[in-house]
Amino acid sequence: MERLTGQQVYNKLVEAYGKPRWWPGTPYEIMVSAVLVQNTAWTQVEKALAAWGEPEPAKVLEMPVEQLQETIRPCGFMKAKAATIRNVSEWYRGYGFDIEKARATSLDRLRRELLGLKGIGAETADAMLVFALHKPSFVIDAYTRRFLDRMGYGFTDDRQIRRFFESGLPADYQIYGWYHWLLLEHGKNHCGKQPTCDGCAFSTVCPGRIL
DNA sequence: ATCCCGCATT
DNA sequence: AATGCAGGAT
């Protein structure tokens, strides 16, 4: 059975959902919200950010941890996430809070550094790499895995998924970011835990479709 | 595999 | 009352 290439999937997603969005906020806000959104609805992140004003790393490092915890309370896991945000901010201080300086560093090195921070796993690291650091490192989340699984690709681990996307596309962080956003949108609209196959752009080719 | 945590939705 | 949500650590 012929399967769609990564590029073909992308084209169909754009056709279905239109011009993709981008992760909102300053680079530091993007890094912070990537932590806040872990296992949490985006609406909760918006709530915390609205009450926050504009997060700034130097201030976060001066702030008492308890205050930081209260600020991010709506997002849940506040003790762990507050600690993680501090870890990220300390890491960022190593670059003088200078995003261009960080961006001048290689993808591999940045990724290793981020994965070394407690509270940052592969998904969060890749989201930060793409949206804040402008590096092409494909974001693989639960929606992505579920979609590919239902589509019958038969991937057994994230390495295969990464190869599927990264070998079939130009190594362009913008494409990766847009692609991730489209997969997320698709997951929310049709391919969530409980699939809604009515009106799905892939319902004619998807072996996992529910009739 | 299980626990971590707050909130919206059902 | 139960479930689910842009996960991660143990």
Side-chain angles (χ1 to χ4, degrees):
Chain A
M1 191 59 193
E2 288 295 303
R3 305 251 167 264
L4 299 177
T5 65
Q7 186 62 245
Q8 290 172 323
V9 170
Y10 182 81
N11 295 342
K12 286 182 80 70
L13 286 168
V14 171
E15 207 176 313
Y17 300 106
K19 185 172 166 49
R21 303 258 168 89
W22 193 254
W23 199 303
T26 66
Y28 182 66
E29 276 179 305
I30 292 170
M31 297 192 261
V32 168
S33 48
V35 173
L36 292 181
V37 79
Q38 290 170 354
N39 202 39
T40 304
W42 179 255
T43 52
Q44 300 304 113
V45 178
E46 288 183 316
K47 196 168 300 183
L49 253 46
W52 196 334
E54 184 176 321
E56 290 175 46
K59 291 182 182 174
V60 165
L61 289 173
E62 294 169 13
M63 195 180 297
V65 196
E66 296 76 18
Q67 185 185 337
L68 182 56
Q69 290 177 9
E70 280 313 306
T71 310
I72 67 175
R73 168 180 285 277
C75 302
F77 303 93
M78 49 190 221
K79 294 178 81 172
K81 286 178 181 177
T84 303
I85 289 169
R86 287 192 63 103
N87 293 340
V88 169
S89 304
E90 277 169 22
W91 165 82
Y92 196 27
R93 183 168 56 191
Y95 290 94
F97 303 131
D98 182 346
I99 195 63
E100 292 308 328
K101 197 166 178 179
R103 285 173 181 163
T105 308
S106 76
L107 188 165
D108 287 340
R109 174 165 179 171
L110 290 171
R111 194 168 195 277
R112 275 198 307 276
E113 290 178 354
L114 291 172
L115 289 175
L117 303 177
K118 190 169 182 180
I120 303 294
E123 181 179 340
T124 309
D126 289 329
M128 292 169 62
L129 285 166
V130 168
F131 294 100
L133 293 157
H134 294 179
K135 302 291 184 183
S137 191
F138 206 90
V139 182
I140 299 164
D141 62 0
Y143 287 120
T144 305
R145 296 187 195 97
R146 204 155 38 209
F147 169 67
L148 293 174
D149 187 47
R150 289 198 177 123
M151 289 282 283
Y153 285 92
F155 299 136
T156 52
D157 59 43
D158 286 0
R159 279 180 43 262
Q160 297 178 15
I161 296 178
R162 179 172 297 279
R163 193 160 58 245
F164 171 71
F165 287 116
E166 296 195 352
S167 68
L169 298 166
D172 178 342
Y173 77 90
Q174 294 194 75
I175 304 280
Y176 284 25
W178 290 332
Y179 206 150
H180 169 66
W181 186 88
L182 288 164
L183 287 168
L184 178 71
E185 193 67 13
H186 183 58
K188 286 189 175 305
N189 284 288
H190 291 286
C191 211
K193 258 189 170 175
Q194 210 61 35
T196 309
C197 303
D198 269 9
C200 172
F202 299 89
S203 60
T204 57
V205 290
C206 180
R209 66 187 174 279
I210 308 293
L211 302 172

